[in-house]
Amino acid sequence: MVQDKVQTFFFIFTTMRKLFLVLVLAGLFNQLTAQVQSPEAFLGYKIGTRYTPHWRLVEYFRYVAQQVPQLVKLEQYGLTNEKRPLMLAYVSTAPNIQNLETVRQNNLRLANMGSDGGTASEAGPVVVWLSYNVHGNETSSSEASMLTLYALVDPSNTQTKEWLKNTLVIMDPCLNPDGRDRYVNWFNSMVGTQYNPDPQSREHAEPWPGGRTNHYNFDLNRDWAWQSQIESQQRLKKYNEWLPQVHVDFHEQGPNAPYYFAPAAEPYHEVITPWQREFQVMIGRNNAKYFDRNGWLYFTKDGFDLFYPGYGDTYPIYNGSIGMTFEQGGGPAGGLGITTNDGDTLTLIDRAQHHYTTGLSTVETASQNAARLLKEFHHFYNDALNTGSGEYKTYVIKRRSTPVDLESTLDRYLTGNGISWAYAGKTAAYRGFSYITGKEEQFNVEPHDILLTAYQPKSVLLKVLFEPVSKQAAPKNFPYDITAWSLPYAFGLDAFAVRDRIAAGAQKEETPSFDSTISKIKANSAYAYVLPWKSFSAAKVLARLLKAGVRVRYSNEPFTVNGKNFDPGSLIITQASNRQFADRLPAVILDAAYKEDDYHYNIEAVRSGFVDKGHDIGSSAVALVQKPRVVLITGEGTSSGSAGAIWHLFEQQLQYPVTLINANDVARVNLGQYNVIILPDGFNFRFLTDRVLNEQLKTWVRQGGKLIALQGAVAQLAQADWGLHNKADSSDTRKRNDTSYSIVRAYQNRTIDRLDNYNSGTIYKLSLDNTHPLGYGYPDYYYTLKEDNSVYEFIKEGGWNVGVLKKNNYISGFVGSKAQAKLKDGLVFGVQDLGRGRVVYLSDDVLFRSFWETGKLLFCNAVFMVGQ
């Protein structure tokens, strides 16, 4: 009896102690979570009543992570160009956060990319990635991110607690901090004590270049696949370490547009799976449920397609995710509030609430369908590994001379996208599609050719990026972006697409030995040193040499020395012209030529100026490179993206000085200090429409200056009586005088009729005069990306038609029938002699989004070679 009482007492005591500990822990947890302040309490204002600068946004995320570390982990994954932090917040339940690395490794195992050898489990939490504010002046989403974060950790929100049991949410609160702060700081300096909703008020008219882009004016939402920018490079490294099942990219559009969410508009790329289509509809229906409840306007299946791979929806899709764009009306014109065409006032409060709602709706839908999402994700990557995506099973890149450095640029690009490659092991004959001829033909795979197999986890992305033609049905709406981007054309590669699986040889090649080349250069007994001009890397070497004060020559003709052949453009550095360096010249050359990944394996030390074949080094066929003193015109009237690409090329890639001058300040500038002026793409260079300033610019060229014009700037020069003529002008005159019934159209066909004249961004093959300095380093062709229908009449006298578009040279992409009929028999790249100077016409964008690698050397030819 006593023993039973003792046992009962200890049972009660033990039970009470456990209960007490549970209550204490629960109390501590509730006390801790209850201390998390809402964004309004933390910031001191309601979200949407004013703009939150980036540093305060970061502060709130850091604050929440400090308050509830068991629910939120914050990670800084990089810095912007202006040194603002790039952050990720991982939000889930305490067990999931505690086992975050285990969750990540399992997710990679599901994608057949795990490194720990473990078995993939489809029972793990589903990963949802929310990306905010990639366009800096589409500001409402970063405001919404704080509301979303608070809802996920708020102890009173039982719904989100339930969702997070099987869901990990990764939040990037601001992909473009530099652009956001550019806009926010400008707006805060423009607005009064009360915002003015009148659309004509200055607070709704953002000045050039706007906050949409990053520091170098790049659109980061076109850069996912190409990763040309530091923000993209750092973000995609983290993204590919996780590979979420769901990704949402939050945006804004014009203030009069309702909210847009998935499902997307056609065209869909053919690789998009039935499940990826189905889940888009599921998300859309769930979003619609909340929007219907609140009476908010929205639309789906219109405007925003799923084709071009550089977006925050398509890139995740091609990596197995459900990628989606959500677009809120407002944009940079929205300010804190704006009167719409309907007479309503759209406020920042409204915009943030809408994004907050779709963000939580996405988490909810993912949680409710977690098992299916994980299963389909696993199937996507199993299918990629076992069957290989697409009709072509191997892409072969011939390691011949191309305008791009394969060993660095291509490898960095493929590695950044998680695409594996290897070298061929032996010679064998295959039949495949030649990117150069556009035909199926027999060819030999040779040792050390680069092989990319379709049987790999990133098979779908590989197909999308390398397929010769991206298939799509005839569009019923205007494509949202370019429809051609195949990497062998963009990189200028000699490549083949093969239907067979080709066995690889070595996965890695041993680093070549430079000892023999270096020892020859260090010997200091050379008469001169010769560097081949075959890639953009050569241009970077030239830029370093010129900055170092080295006097560099180049050959206008091919020659042979030491039994080796050198093409026009090859760089020649003589001891006699660089006596100021004395015995340090070899070291200066080595420092320029063997820096980082820009290796030049074939630097030739020659002992005599007497060559084996061709013109001697001292002949008139060898010219001195005059050091360019470069001006880039920027500001109002120019395309900020075009100007930014050129700025980025000079500053980050060439590391060569360039002076940026605003177009409206040209009249006050002493142009005599410079010998190269670059006009980026633009729509209204006022100094070209001013008769006096236009003539002053011509005089500067006649006196020996070099003017380089791109795209729209070429069109303006053609209109400003510089001697170039757009072929479309004469045909447009004939159309205006047309009185036949062919001009009568049905209203219902208005979109289709306009598509006939539309060019969505297509690839054409140009005939290139590679004997002209503008074409040095290239074969006799060039793949150009045409974004419009412009071709120009041939320069008849005093100039050179270097890049010519002939008949039947269309390669890929959507172009309307009428537009295609115009794109023939005209000039695309040319050089016009004007007095002692030159005008270089580049009517297509040779630096397109910095991924059109084959064009970079052409641009450098314009800067360094033409007119010397």
Side-chain angles (χ1 to χ4, degrees):
M1 186 73 175
V2 173
Q3 185 177 3
D4 290 340
K5 288 183 179 180
V6 171
Q7 289 177 342
T8 301
F9 171 80
F10 276 108
F11 173 79
I12 294 173
F13 176 79
T14 303
T15 302
M16 292 298 292
R17 185 173 66 176
K18 290 180 179 177
L19 180 61
F20 175 78
L21 288 173
V22 169
L23 291 173
V24 169
L25 291 173
L28 288 173
F29 176 78
N30 289 332
Q31 182 181 11
L32 188 60
T33 55
Q35 291 176 352
V36 178
Q37 295 180 339
S38 68
E40 181 175 351
F42 181 84
L43 298 170
Y45 55 87
K46 182 179 179 179
I47 290 292
T49 57
R50 55 185 295 188
Y51 277 117
T52 306
H54 181 257
W55 69 272
R56 289 289 279 161
L57 174 69
V58 171
E59 273 194 342
Y60 184 69
F61 269 76
R62 284 176 173 161
Y63 159 77
V64 172
Q66 290 169 358
Q67 293 298 108
V68 282
Q70 71 276 24
L71 303 180
V72 179
K73 178 184 177 182
L74 198 64
E75 177 184 15
Q76 180 174 323
Y77 66 85
L79 292 171
T80 67
N81 285 292
E82 297 175 16
K83 307 307 178 187
R84 293 181 176 87
L86 295 163
M87 315 289 289
L88 287 178
Y90 303 89
V91 189
S92 192
T93 60
N96 288 336
I97 294 299
Q98 185 177 356
N99 296 294
L100 199 60
E101 180 59 18
T102 302
V103 173
R104 187 183 74 85
Q105 287 292 343
N106 183 66
N107 215 49
L108 291 180
R109 288 195 291 270
L110 290 172
N112 296 312
M113 297 177 70
S115 59
D116 59 357
T119 303
S121 170
E122 294 178 3
V126 66
V127 181
V128 177
W129 190 303
L130 304 178
S131 291
Y132 300 92
N133 218 160
V134 67
H135 290 152
N137 56 10
E138 298 173 8
T139 45
S140 64
S141 66
S142 282
E143 307 290 344
S145 72
M146 292 183 281
L147 297 173
T148 304
L149 176 64
Y150 180 68
L152 293 175
V153 301
D154 180 4
S156 67
N157 193 326
T158 56
Q159 274 189 320
T160 59
K161 300 299 167 294
E162 192 65 29
W163 300 339
L164 292 176
K165 288 180 181 178
N166 66 351
T167 307
L168 169 66
V169 179
I170 303 177
M171 303 177 68
D172 190 329
C174 187
L175 278 68
N176 184 8
D178 294 350
R180 176 182 174 83
D181 270 2
R182 189 184 314 133
Y183 173 82
V184 169
N185 291 336
W186 167 80
F187 181 85
N188 287 341
S189 70
M190 293 292 106
V191 71
T193 54
Q194 298 292 326
Y195 71 81
N196 186 343
D198 182 351
Q200 299 181 90
S201 174
R202 68 175 187 172
E203 65 203 66
H204 303 293
E206 186 186 16
W208 193 97
R212 177 184 178 90
T213 53
N214 76 343
H215 177 79
Y216 286 103
N217 304 139
F218 272 78
D219 187 333
L220 296 178
N221 193 42
R222 305 297 191 273
D223 197 43
W224 281 73
W226 322 126
Q227 299 164 37
S228 70
Q229 299 302 291
I230 190 171
E231 295 91 346
S232 305
Q233 293 160 9
Q234 296 170 113
R235 183 178 71 257
L236 268 298
K237 183 176 185 296
K238 297 304 299 183
Y239 185 92
N240 282 302
E241 288 174 0
W242 276 96
L243 295 174
Q245 283 76 47
V246 179
H247 180 267
V248 178
D249 196 20
F250 292 91
H251 286 266
E252 291 191 66
Q253 51 190 325
N256 295 301
Y259 198 100
Y260 163 82
F261 48 73
E266 295 287 351
Y268 282 38
H269 196 286
E270 63 176 345
V271 300
I272 297 176
T273 68
W275 163 244
Q276 288 173 321
R277 290 171 176 261
E278 180 184 343
F279 194 83
Q280 293 238 338
V281 176
M282 294 167 64
I283 282 283
R285 292 192 183 282
N286 204 59
N287 288 344
K289 175 181 69 177
Y290 292 107
F291 274 58
D292 290 342
R293 185 181 300 169
N294 288 283
W296 298 335
L297 292 177
Y298 59 91
F299 69 98
T300 65
K301 302 181 289 292
D302 190 19
F304 303 96
D305 58 36
L306 294 175
F307 202 66
Y308 169 71
Y311 286 131
D313 51 12
T314 48
Y315 184 87
I317 283 177
Y318 301 147
N319 283 277
S321 181
I322 310 295
M324 294 168 290
T325 290
F326 292 169
E327 293 266 357
Q328 164 63 46
L336 292 177
I338 189 170
T339 303
T340 66
N341 290 343
D342 294 336
D344 296 328
T345 299
L346 176 66
T347 67
L348 181 59
I349 295 173
D350 301 328
R351 291 150 56 195
Q353 279 296 319
H354 297 164
H355 272 328
Y356 162 72
T357 300
T358 55
L360 289 184
S361 172
T362 299
V363 176
E364 177 186 27
T365 309
S367 175
Q368 292 171 350
N369 296 275
R372 179 83 187 276
L373 280 164
L374 291 164
K375 178 182 178 181
E376 294 288 349
F377 181 82
H378 197 189
H379 175 73
F380 177 95
Y381 279 99
N382 281 341
D383 190 55
L385 195 62
N386 296 326
T387 65
S389 180
E391 61 179 311
Y392 298 115
K393 301 307 179 184
T394 309
Y395 298 93
V396 181
I397 299 173
K398 304 296 293 179
R399 296 183 71 193
R400 298 173 185 157
S401 174
T402 65
V404 65
D405 181 2
L406 293 181
E407 306 308 316
S408 55
T409 308
L410 186 62
D411 179 53
R412 284 197 299 267
Y413 175 79
L414 295 173
T415 302
N417 281 293
I419 296 172
S420 62
W421 60 275
Y423 291 103
K426 60 182 180 179
T427 301
Y430 287 91
R431 188 167 184 82
F433 174 87
S434 168
Y435 286 84
I436 292 178
T437 66
K439 299 175 183 178
E440 293 276 338
E441 59 184 51
Q442 196 87 4
F443 76 103
N444 285 333
V445 173
E446 299 165 315
H448 302 300
D449 283 348
I450 290 175
L451 305 181
L452 296 105
T453 178
Y455 298 94
Q456 63 170 297
K458 291 298 189 84
S459 179
V460 171
L461 181 63
L462 173 65
K463 167 185 162 57
V464 170
L465 297 179
F466 274 78
E467 60 189 352
V469 176
S470 296
K471 299 174 184 176
Q472 60 172 323
K476 298 178 182 178
N477 298 300
F478 289 97
Y480 200 76
D481 209 282
I482 64 171
T483 54
W485 52 78
S486 183
L487 265 294
Y489 297 123
F491 277 55
L493 304 174
D494 182 2
F496 292 84
V498 182
R499 290 181 173 84
D500 301 312
R501 185 173 188 172
I502 302 177
Q507 296 296 317
K508 294 286 185 181
E509 187 177 52
E510 291 185 8
T511 303
S513 172
F514 307 126
D515 292 344
S516 60
T517 300
I518 292 174
S519 61
K520 287 179 183 177
I521 295 174
K522 284 185 174 179
N524 200 32
S525 58
Y527 174 86
Y529 306 94
V530 183
L531 289 75
W533 185 262
K534 292 182 178 295
S535 72
F536 179 54
S537 289
K540 290 194 270 189
V541 173
L542 174 60
R544 294 182 193 125
L545 290 170
L546 293 176
K547 281 179 61 180
V550 177
R551 301 188 68 182
V552 182
R553 287 175 161 78
Y554 75 96
S555 176
N556 277 300
E557 301 287 344
F559 66 97
T560 303
V561 67
N562 290 356
K564 297 180 179 179
N565 298 325
F566 290 91
D567 294 326
S570 295
L571 305 179
I572 301 170
I573 306 165
T574 64
Q575 291 274 9
S577 296
N578 293 281
R579 297 192 187 281
Q580 71 274 24
F581 293 102
D583 58 356
R584 293 187 299 107
L585 182 61
V588 174
I589 296 173
L590 286 173
D591 183 59
Y594 292 93
K595 191 170 185 177
E596 299 172 354
D597 293 329
D598 300 316
Y599 300 123
H600 265 269
Y601 306 140
N602 298 319
I603 299 178
E604 191 69 20
V606 298
R607 295 182 179 276
S608 172
F610 192 94
V611 302
D612 303 338
K613 184 179 179 181
H615 295 276
D616 292 330
I617 289 176
S619 74
S620 60
V622 177
L624 184 68
V625 178
Q626 301 294 332
K627 188 174 182 180
R629 301 184 303 279
V630 185
V631 161
L632 171 62
I633 302 300
T634 66
E636 297 292 340
T638 70
S639 161
S640 61
S642 176
I646 297 168
W647 181 23
H648 184 268
L649 183 91
F650 274 101
E651 191 162 275
Q652 291 293 326
Q653 299 175 61
L654 287 173
Q655 297 178 1
Y656 190 84
V658 59
T659 299
L660 277 58
I661 293 177
N662 287 330
N664 293 339
D665 295 332
V666 167
R668 67 167 183 80
V669 174
N670 179 10
L671 296 180
Q673 295 181 10
Y674 312 99
N675 55 17
V676 177
I677 295 176
I678 301 173
L679 303 182
D681 184 25
F683 52 90
N684 184 20
F685 292 92
R686 294 180 182 175
F687 57 83
L688 293 180
T689 58
D690 183 291
R691 186 178 58 83
V692 174
L693 293 178
N694 188 39
E695 190 57 38
Q696 288 178 356
L697 186 59
K698 285 183 181 179
T699 299
W700 175 85
V701 175
R702 291 189 187 102
Q703 292 174 348
K706 179 164 56 181
L707 183 67
I708 303 172
L710 284 77
Q711 294 181 281
V714 175
Q716 290 187 65
L717 289 174
Q719 294 171 352
D721 192 28
W722 281 69
L724 190 70
H725 302 285
N726 194 325
K727 289 187 67 177
D729 292 341
S730 57
S731 61
D732 288 344
T733 301
R734 289 194 297 270
K735 286 180 182 178
R736 287 193 293 271
N737 295 329
D738 190 355
T739 58
S740 70
Y741 277 94
S742 63
I743 64 173
V744 179
R745 299 178 294 117
Y747 181 74
Q748 67 177 3
N749 296 331
R750 61 194 182 279
T751 300
I752 295 175
D753 289 342
R754 290 174 61 201
L755 281 169
D756 284 344
N757 285 292
Y758 186 69
N759 183 354
S760 62
T762 49
I763 298 174
Y764 279 79
K765 187 177 183 179
L766 301 183
S767 296
L768 192 71
D769 179 3
N770 60 4
T771 68
H772 189 279
L774 186 59
Y776 284 173
Y778 286 88
D780 61 359
Y781 58 85
Y782 173 88
Y783 294 105
T784 191
L785 183 71
K786 289 211 67 66
E787 299 174 81
D788 57 28
N789 304 331
S790 295
V791 289
Y792 293 84
E793 295 180 1
F794 296 129
I795 301 172
K796 295 180 176 60
E797 295 180 4
W800 305 94
N801 301 289
V802 181
V804 172
L805 181 58
K806 297 181 179 179
K807 294 183 179 67
N808 303 321
N809 274 306
Y810 162 83
I811 300 296
S812 68
F814 172 76
V815 58
S817 58
K818 294 180 180 178
Q820 189 165 2
K822 300 174 185 176
L823 293 170
K824 62 181 181 180
D825 302 328
L827 176 142
V828 177
F829 304 141
V831 177
Q832 180 182 355
D833 300 334
L834 190 61
R836 292 187 289 110
R838 304 289 185 275
V839 182
V840 182
Y841 299 114
L842 305 175
S843 67
D844 287 344
D845 188 357
V846 295
L847 303 178
F848 184 77
R849 295 176 185 168
S850 200
F851 89 86
W852 208 259
E853 290 289 339
T854 187
K856 292 180 180 178
L857 180 62
L858 192 82
F859 182 83
C860 290
N861 282 343
V863 173
F864 294 107
M865 295 291 182
V866 171
Q868 294 287 357

